[in-house]
Each structure stands twice: as structure tokens, then as C-alpha cells.
Amino acid sequence: MRGGKVAGGAAIVAATASAASTRVACHSVQTVIVGAGTFGASLAWTLARAGEDVVLVDQFEPGDRRATSGGESRLIRCSHGGDALYTASAWRARTLWRELEDETGEDLMAEIGMAWFAQREDGWEAESERAMTAQGIPCERLDPAAAAKLFPSLGTDDLAFVLYEPEAGVVRAQRAVQALARQAVAHGAKLVRGRAAPDGDAALVGGERLEGDAVVWACGGWLGSLFADHVPLKVTCQELLFFDGGPAWRSPGVPGFVDYDLAMYGTGDLDDLGVKVALDKEGPPLDPDAELPAAGATEPAVREYLARRFPALADAPLKEGRCCRYELSADSNFIAARHPELERTWIVGGGSGHGFKHGPALAERVAGALRGGEPLPARFGLGHRDAGRSFRTAGSGAW
Ligand SMILES: Cc1cc2nc3c(=O)[nH]c(=O)nc-3n(C[C@H](O)[C@H](O)[C@H](O)COP(=O)(O)OP(=O)(O)OC[C@H]3O[C@@H](n4cnc5c(N)ncnc54)[C@H](O)[C@@H]3O)c2cc1C
């Protein structure tokens, strides 16, 4: 093993032993975490700041674009229809992201607000409003005329109302993941660069066998191939498009938005990236190890949507398009459970297009379960699941 540096400043140790190595070194630590996306890096930070021994392993540097957590921005919102668990989790995560900001002095979250366009009186938005109100989470119901003042142009003909979450916004995802890993290291965790394979209750990395009281596999889209018998995941290609809307569309100022029934979401122009607009229907399958393809297939559908919802952007120049992977469970619930046959092996993932924001809150739950505390929710269990309602920003459908 030898020392090095990763982008974002965290110390890294690269596993250098070759696959042909016959000597297998054993390191016994409290927790080995494979995968430094939002789920794994959040868990490393949570455990390390509590004084526990942690080794965090990733094949890439934290924040790498090939990982699902490697995008610039991810929405953070509490609306989850009537689901109390995810509503509370997002609200708790917001507090924890703020704690990470306090530790690092970095601006990792932008509270730009979030507008949910409701086409029905009794849909996802009304359920979300009830669930948030019950938990004391700020939200307000705006009539379409009042909501129109939030955007430079807004088509409201089809809207029953708009649910506004003033304290929702965006997590600067790539930077946040790098900060989580860096702070985990600052609290004593060891970061190892290498591709790991399960070996009984251990992780084999470049010829080294890493063991712990727990070995947590938080491997995003790769979980399906690592644990094929227990993790039925669908990995898909999803596009993000960024439009040049000019200064009127800058965020903060212009909020984020979700059209749940139309499966569209986005933000104003934050950090000069352009106005982000994405079709959230399930994209085509994509192997986790395949190159990310060029974006563009969704542009016609997105432009049709812009003409309807934000007419001033209908012909806005496209600044950039990007592809990213979803790792979808059938019912869009996360996966967080102990392996049924391996006592010390745990599996965490299934972000299903809405996992980023929850990272630190899910980590708290997982940390509790690792310590023998409250069991993880049954719906996060392994194995087959029936299709369910989407908790991401899409009410339905494939492209
Ligand atoms: C386009 C897009 C938009 C999204 N929008 C939002 C949003 O607005 N809000 C939101 O909350 N969520 C959103 N999400 C979902 C969110 O980004 C994911 O749920 C979350 O990032 C998943 O994190 P993860 O840690 O499970 O996986 P990842 O970030 O993929 O991390 C897994 C890590 O494991 C590593 N790994 C895998 N296998 C191995 C191995 N064998 N050895 C070593 N390392 C390994 C990988 O290198 C990777 O770094 C979006 C996702 C996409 C694609």
C-alpha cells in the first residue's frame, strides 16, 4: 500500500498488490465500506466522526462522474407523497448536510426553493403537503397566479395549484461526496483506492483481504452484479440537459421545480451551469462499466415540455447535455440490509433516482443497525420486490 491524494483533498491509499499476489494481508477494522458514493461516504463520515474505525474503498476517486453521485447538483426536497419515512429522512438529511457544511466551511447546499406543479387537487402534491404539514416541515400552497411570480415565464393553464417548499433546493453533489470522504478521513478513516470483490465475509482488494465487524457494500449500480442473487437492480441511462436562459433564469432567484405527473424536473441556472431540465422517465439499460453515452435523445421531449411550462425557454440554446446512471429497485425503495447468509456483510444501495439527498440520514439508520440498534425498515430488504409507486420525480413510465 502507498499514500497519495484525491481531488477534494482527502488522503488516499492505493491498493497495489497484483492479482497474482499469493500473500494475503489481513487488516481487522471495525467497518469496511466499499463504495464512496453518497451512501458509502455518508456512512464513513457518520461512523468516523463517532470515533469508530473505518476503511472506505472505492475503485474511483470520490465524486467521479462514473458514479451516480458524481453529478454537480441533486435536488433535496421533503415532498414524497404521503410517505412519512422519506419525508422525515429528507428533513433530517438537510440538518446533517448543514453539519457537514459547518465542519468544512463549504457551501454544499443551495436553498433555492422548490415548486411542485400540481395538475390535480388530490395527487402526489396534496399528499406531500399533508405529510409535510404533519411533520412541521415548511410548505405552502400557491394558486397558479401567485406561482407565476416565481419564474420569468410559467405556463399555468393546466395547473390546479403549486406546492412550494421554501427550504428545499440543491445539494452540490460531487463536492458534497468529496467533502464526506475528506471529513471521514479527517476523523480517522482510511481511504483505499481499488476494485473490491466479495470473499466470504471480507472484501478482497488488489490481493488484500479486508475484514471488519461489518463489511458494507454500497456499490450503486454495481451491486446487481456483485450480489446477483439478492439485489435485482435495473441500471438505466438518464439524461440531464442544461439550457442558456440568460440572467433572468439564475438561481437563487428562480427555484427548482418538479412536474411529477409529467415526469419532468429541474432548477434555475445555478453556478452558471445553465437551466437544468430533465425527463425523469426510465431510460434505456446501461451496463455499469460501459462508457456514458452522449446525451441528446430526450431533447425533443424536453423542448416540448419547455414550450408548455416555460415558454420563454422553448428555443433557448442547449449549453450541455449529460448522461448518468440510475440504479433502480422495482419499488424505488432503497436497499439496506444484512446479507442473509453472511453474518458480517451488509448491502446498501438502490438509490432509484432519489437517493442522493438522503445519504447522511440513511447512514444514521445503517450505523444504528450495525451497532445492534433499531432494525432497518423491512421495505429496504433484499430479494424480489413488486413494482411500486415512484419516489423519484416521475409519476410514471419509460421513454
Ligand atoms: C441524472 C440523475 C439525477 C438524479 N437526481 C437526483 C436528485 O435530484 N436528488 C436525489 O436525491 N437523487 C438524485 N439522483 C439519485 C442519486 O444520485 C443516487 O441515488 C445516488 O447518488 C446513489 O448513490 P450510491 O452511493 O448508492 O451510488 P454511487 O454514487 O454510484 O456510488 C457507488 C460507488 O461504489 C463504487 N464501487 C462500485 N463497485 C465497486 C467495487 N467492486 N469496488 C470498489 N468500488 C466500487 C463506485 O465506484 C462508486 O463510487 C439522481 C441520479 C441521476 C443519475
Side-chain angles (χ1 to χ4, degrees):
M1 304 276 250
R2 65 182 152 78
K5 274 294 203 199
V6 283
I12 194 165
V13 179
T16 54
S18 73
S21 168
T22 48
R23 198 177 66 82
V24 172
C26 280
H27 300 283
S28 198
V29 296
Q30 211 159 328
T31 307
V32 176
I33 301 163
V34 184
T38 187
F39 288 167
S42 292
L43 183 60
W45 177 59
T46 303
L47 295 174
R49 76 200 286 239
E52 298 180 30
D53 291 333
V54 176
V55 174
L56 177 61
V57 183
D58 204 294
Q59 61 191 343
F60 308 138
E61 294 177 355
D64 190 288
R65 283 198 182 285
R66 289 166 286 184
T68 311
S69 305
E72 275 102 350
S73 68
R74 294 288 185 258
L75 303 184
I76 177 161
R77 39 85 186 185
C78 291
S79 291
H80 284 83
D83 194 284
L85 185 153
Y86 287 115
T87 304
S89 171
W91 188 241
R92 174 65 186 150
R94 183 179 170 279
T95 301
L96 295 167
W97 287 119
R98 288 282 185 232
E99 287 180 18
L100 181 65
E101 284 186 320
D102 290 344
E103 273 192 20
T104 59
E106 279 193 71
D107 216 1
L108 300 172
M109 220 170 29
E111 206 173 85
I112 60 175
M114 187 80 51
W116 293 81
F117 299 128
Q119 292 172 51
R120 294 176 285 146
E121 282 294 343
D122 59 349
W124 166 273
E125 299 79 12
E127 290 172 35
S128 297
E129 183 185 22
R130 283 194 290 275
M132 287 191 286
T133 304
Q135 295 189 24
I137 298 170
C139 64
E140 46 189 307
R141 182 182 276 241
L142 304 176
D143 64 43
K149 297 191 181 119
L150 296 172
F151 297 91
S153 83
L154 185 71
T156 58
D157 289 352
D158 57 343
L159 298 184
F161 69 96
V162 171
L163 181 66
Y164 187 61
E165 281 189 66
E167 297 186 18
V170 164
V171 184
R172 294 184 171 95
Q174 185 179 49
R175 283 176 46 201
V177 160
Q178 289 169 347
L180 285 167
R182 197 172 55 244
Q183 287 311 109
V185 169
H187 290 294
K190 188 187 283 184
L191 188 55
V192 173
R193 174 83 182 266
R195 183 143 173 157
D199 182 26
D201 250 334
L204 204 58
V205 190
E208 299 241 10
R209 201 178 141 81
L210 299 177
E211 293 176 344
D213 299 328
V215 179
V216 181
W217 297 84
C219 296
W222 288 266
L223 277 178
S225 50
L226 288 167
F227 299 99
D229 291 346
H230 303 289
V231 184
L233 270 188
K234 205 192 286 186
V235 180
T236 61
C237 176
Q238 306 296 142
E239 290 196 0
L240 293 169
L241 302 183
F242 297 86
F243 294 89
D244 185 354
W249 287 87
R250 294 263 149 80
S251 291
V254 175
F257 62 89
V258 180
D259 240 308
Y260 185 79
D261 288 343
L262 298 180
M264 289 281 180
Y265 71 94
T267 67
D269 182 350
L270 181 70
D271 299 338
D272 221 13
L273 293 167
V275 181
K276 171 169 148 178
V277 190
L279 174 64
D280 200 14
K281 292 190 174 176
E282 207 176 287
L286 182 64
D287 186 290
D289 284 316
E291 290 288 315
L292 289 165
T298 60
E299 188 176 346
V302 168
R303 284 205 182 275
E304 199 179 309
Y305 171 75
L306 288 175
R308 169 177 175 176
R309 185 63 71 225
F310 304 118
L313 290 176
D315 299 315
L318 182 65
K319 270 182 96 163
E320 208 183 334
R322 278 202 214 118
C323 284
C324 187
R325 290 182 185 85
Y326 274 169
E327 55 293 309
L328 298 163
S329 67
D331 60 4
S332 82
N333 277 300
F334 303 151
I335 296 166
R338 191 199 292 265
H339 192 284
E341 290 122 32
L342 300 169
E343 179 67 14
R344 283 175 283 149
T345 296
W346 298 70
I347 297 172
V348 176
S352 303
H354 70 112
F356 192 91
K357 69 184 87 53
H358 295 279
L362 180 64
E364 268 189 344
R365 276 181 197 277
V366 173
L370 294 180
R371 295 172 187 137
E374 197 173 327
L376 290 160
R379 61 166 136 159
F380 290 0
L382 300 173
H384 171 83
R385 293 180 188 175
D386 292 329
R389 188 183 198 184
S390 162
F391 290 113
R392 65 182 206 273
T393 49
S396 66
W399 287 5

